Amino acid sequence: MLNTIVIILYLAALIIITYLGTLLIAKGSTKNKILIFACFCSVFLHLLGSLLEVTSINEDEAFTASKILYIGSSFIQSFYLLFLLEFLDYKKSKIFFFVPILLFSAISIFISWNTGKGGILEGWLYNGYTYYNDPVVYLQPNPGPFYYVYRGFMILYAISGSLLIVTKIIKWNKRYRKSLIIILLAQLIPTFVETLVFGLKLSGFEIHVYLTPLALVVTLILLYILATKYDLFEIVPKNHLDAIDSIKDCYILLDSNCGYFFSNKSADHIFPGLEGFPKGRKLDNLESWPKELHNLLLDNNYTINFDIEKDNVLYHYKASTSTIISGKISSAMLAIMISDVTDTVNYIDQIKTDSKFDYLITNIYNRRYFDDFMVSYEKKLDETDIYYIFMIDIDFFKRVNDTYGHQVGDDVLKVVAQTIKKTIRTNDTLARYGGEEFIVLVDCKDTSTAYALAERVRQNVSSLKINVEKALIKTKISVGISYRSPNQEVNSVIEESDKALYISKNNGRNRVTVYPKK
């Protein structure tokens, strides 16, 4: 009768494990799904071996069932420990322990299958068996030397997993502690039951009902509660995918309280200290977290541009957020996406810079820049502030182009532009205004100073002797000057300087003329 009850319990446990295990697999992420599936298979084999043992009719059948049981039991703690390393973000540790853990499990299976009578490892795991069929069918082995090693490693796995969980309970925000405590209970229950039974055996007390499979059912039920009630795996698919971890852009996932949850490798590289940052803790506590990103968490539709300097190089980034609804509205999380836009910003800056300069010929500012500059410059002026405008034109420049070609004409423009630039002061602004015309904003307050500067420019250009293939070109320039009267607009001042330039042209060129204000 008791044996029948045990069979029914094992059958029910097998059905429950199959059902709950399938649900957990459906909820797990890509990485965790593999480990959960491995745990499920191990528990399934362990329970199946136990069921076959209590339904066996002789010692040989019971021994064969125990082999199946050990295939499962050898891997349960191993796969669960690997699952904890993955779930608790001990990725580097998981890589380091992966092979040794699974190798020991494989060795344990090999020994268990070859430790029976006539086996090549006879007596290693067990020194014989006692077969019971009343009141419960049960195979009682006598422990061999490897049995204690095996049990020691299983206990070590359980202790290691428990310490990992306890460490995260201490470090992570209290929001996650309830889930971690349930995981800890799921870890400890089977270990506690096996340790209890083992201790009773050492004390001489025999228990003919194998309780570990039933304890594993409790473990799986706890994991199922986590997966459904506390959304243990609802978020995992969104942050543990290899694709997210390998993308170039930064990806940071925050919980519904804006506490840290996950970051990919790119984010860990940009923000030192982010890798291993306690779950649930505010990112404002991270030393490398830019202050500019504080407002990003206040408005989900916010986009922020910020800069980070590394090794004397300025990097530009663009950050934005997106809300992620995970299963339940209460589980809404916030994803921060940060893109490196350094190349784009530098390219745009270069375009802006290029648009300011006459790069192809004179390498000085162009008319577009000068006009924009004057608009902003005038906004800073008072009604009575004065400045001067020089309008400069190269005399008989068309002859140069017609005689020597446009390439020589470009060379002449370069030399004249650089000569003017070297002659004027650093607080003056020079631009090519069009063709062979140049314009200069002169920051001075009296006509005599402006005139003296314009005359010096004219003389320096007149003294030039530009060598070309077959001739020596001498250049002359004409200059027109005007100044700003109270409340006068810049276009009017430029127009007056242009009129003064034409007066210089009409009076024989190679001269400086000040516009005669009334």
Side-chain angles (χ1 to χ4, degrees):
M1 180 64 181
L2 182 59
N3 196 67
T4 303
I5 294 175
V6 173
I7 292 174
I8 293 173
L9 286 175
Y10 282 175
L11 276 173
L14 196 63
I15 293 172
I16 292 172
I17 284 179
T18 303
Y19 176 70
L20 297 184
T22 303
L23 292 179
L24 287 178
I25 291 169
K27 287 180 174 292
S29 68
T30 303
K31 290 183 178 179
N32 285 334
K33 187 181 290 184
I34 297 173
L35 294 171
I36 293 171
F37 181 72
C39 289
F40 160 69
C41 290
S42 300
V43 173
F44 183 87
L45 290 173
H46 184 86
L47 187 55
L48 179 63
S50 301
L51 180 63
L52 292 176
E53 183 177 329
V54 298
T55 57
S56 63
I57 58 176
N58 55 52
E59 182 178 336
D60 290 338
E61 286 188 5
F63 181 69
T64 301
S66 70
K67 289 182 177 181
I68 297 174
L69 184 151
Y70 264 96
I71 293 176
S73 64
S74 296
F75 280 105
I76 291 173
Q77 284 286 8
S78 302
F79 285 129
Y80 194 73
L81 180 59
L82 292 174
F83 162 73
L84 288 178
L85 290 172
E86 177 65 36
F87 178 74
L88 300 176
D89 290 335
Y90 290 103
K91 299 178 183 179
K92 295 180 180 178
S93 300
K94 193 196 79 169
I95 296 172
F96 180 77
F97 288 112
F98 187 83
V99 174
I101 288 175
L102 295 185
L103 182 61
F104 179 79
S105 298
I107 292 173
S108 300
I109 293 174
F110 177 78
I111 293 175
S112 68
W113 275 66
N114 292 279
T115 193
K117 296 178 182 179
I120 59 175
L121 300 176
E122 182 177 354
W124 277 43
L125 187 60
Y126 296 118
N127 289 319
Y129 304 86
T130 302
Y131 180 72
Y132 298 94
N133 57 10
D134 186 41
V136 177
V137 176
Y138 184 68
L139 188 67
Q140 175 64 57
N142 300 316
F146 185 75
Y147 178 84
Y148 298 100
V149 176
Y150 171 80
R151 285 298 172 195
F153 267 90
M154 293 299 106
I155 293 173
L156 179 63
Y157 288 171
I159 293 174
S160 299
S162 301
L163 289 176
L164 293 177
I165 299 171
V166 170
T167 300
K168 293 302 183 182
I169 290 176
I170 296 172
K171 288 186 176 182
W172 287 4
N173 186 275
K174 62 181 180 180
R175 169 185 170 86
Y176 301 99
R177 286 174 187 166
K178 186 178 291 186
S179 298
L180 290 171
I181 289 173
I182 294 177
I183 294 176
L184 181 62
L185 290 175
Q187 163 78 24
L188 292 178
I189 288 174
T191 305
F192 173 76
V193 170
E194 286 210 348
T195 304
L196 177 63
V197 172
F198 180 62
L200 291 174
K201 286 182 179 180
L202 291 178
S203 63
F205 187 82
E206 294 294 336
I207 298 179
H208 295 288
V209 178
Y210 194 30
L211 300 176
T212 301
L214 302 178
L216 289 170
V217 173
V218 176
T219 293
L220 209 54
I221 290 174
L222 289 174
L223 290 178
Y224 177 75
I225 292 173
L226 282 170
T228 54
K229 185 175 181 180
Y230 295 104
D231 294 325
L232 177 65
F233 301 121
E234 287 291 334
I235 303 303
V236 174
K238 297 175 178 64
N239 62 51
H240 277 69
L241 295 176
D242 287 332
I244 292 178
D245 216 20
S246 62
I247 60 177
K248 183 179 178 182
D249 290 343
C250 300
Y251 185 93
I252 302 172
L253 194 63
L254 307 182
D255 60 28
S256 57
N257 294 326
C258 290
Y260 171 78
F261 189 86
F262 169 80
S263 57
N264 66 354
K265 292 178 181 178
S266 296
D268 296 343
H269 175 71
I270 292 177
F271 304 109
L274 191 58
E275 184 178 7
F277 194 69
K279 275 187 170 60
R281 195 173 183 187
K282 302 295 184 182
L283 286 174
D284 288 339
N285 295 309
L286 183 67
E287 187 176 347
S288 60
W289 189 250
K291 293 181 180 179
E292 298 95 323
L293 295 184
H294 175 72
N295 291 334
L296 193 67
L297 307 181
L298 303 179
D299 187 346
N300 291 353
N301 298 318
Y302 214 59
T303 299
I304 289 180
N305 296 308
F306 66 99
D307 302 329
I308 295 179
E309 186 174 347
K310 289 184 179 180
D311 300 326
N312 296 322
V313 178
L314 190 63
Y315 295 91
H316 306 279
Y317 297 96
K318 181 179 181 179
S320 59
T321 60
S322 176
T323 302
I324 297 176
I325 304 298
S326 180
K328 304 173 183 177
I329 298 298
S330 60
S331 298
M333 304 187 82
L334 191 66
I336 301 176
M337 285 75 69
I338 301 177
S339 302
D340 186 341
V341 294
T342 303
D343 291 342
T344 302
V345 171
N346 290 343
Y347 179 71
I348 292 174
D349 287 345
Q350 186 61 49
I351 291 176
K352 290 180 178 178
T353 301
D354 290 348
S355 67
K356 298 176 184 178
F357 284 89
D358 175 33
Y359 269 126
L360 295 178
I361 302 176
T362 60
N363 200 30
I364 59 174
Y365 290 125
N366 57 27
R367 180 171 179 171
R368 177 187 296 176
Y369 171 79
F370 187 85
D371 290 341
D372 293 341
F373 174 78
M374 288 305 300
V375 172
S376 60
Y377 180 77
E378 278 209 319
K379 290 179 180 179
K380 303 175 184 178
L381 300 178
D382 293 332
E383 294 180 357
T384 57
D385 285 340
I386 296 176
Y387 61 79
Y388 285 78
I389 293 290
F390 293 177
M391 188 67 75
I392 302 171
D393 184 85
I394 301 176
D395 296 333
F396 302 113
F397 182 74
K398 186 175 183 301
R399 291 183 187 176
V400 175
N401 280 333
D402 293 343
T403 305
Y404 303 103
H406 288 280
Q407 183 60 54
V408 173
D410 290 346
D411 292 338
V412 171
L413 286 173
K414 282 182 187 178
V415 174
V416 171
Q418 292 307 310
T419 302
I420 298 172
K421 187 176 181 180
K422 291 177 182 178
T423 305
I424 62 177
R425 303 159 308 174
T426 55
N427 57 332
D428 300 325
T429 303
L430 168 67
R432 185 183 177 193
Y433 208 62
E436 67 271 25
E437 282 189 334
F438 300 92
I439 192 168
V440 184
L441 167 66
V442 180
D443 186 12
C444 70
K445 307 303 180 184
D446 60 274
T447 303
S448 58
T449 301
Y451 186 88
L453 178 61
E455 185 60 30
R456 193 160 57 250
V457 169
R458 185 194 65 78
Q459 291 174 2
N460 289 344
V461 172
S462 298
S463 64
L464 292 174
K465 296 179 180 179
I466 304 172
N467 288 307
V468 295
E469 295 180 359
K470 299 180 180 179
L472 191 64
I473 298 177
K474 294 182 180 181
T475 57
K476 308 293 180 182
I477 60 172
S478 297
V479 183
I481 302 176
S482 184
Y483 62 90
R484 178 181 184 256
S485 301
N487 292 323
Q488 187 178 7
E489 294 184 355
V490 62
N491 289 335
S492 175
V493 181
I494 293 175
E495 184 179 345
E496 289 176 351
S497 63
D498 195 47
K499 290 179 179 178
L501 170 64
Y502 276 94
I503 294 174
S504 294
K505 291 279 190 183
N506 293 332
N507 289 337
R509 294 183 171 86
N510 189 25
R511 66 187 63 240
V512 176
T513 302
V514 178
Y515 181 76
K517 295 237 183 199
K518 294 181 180 180

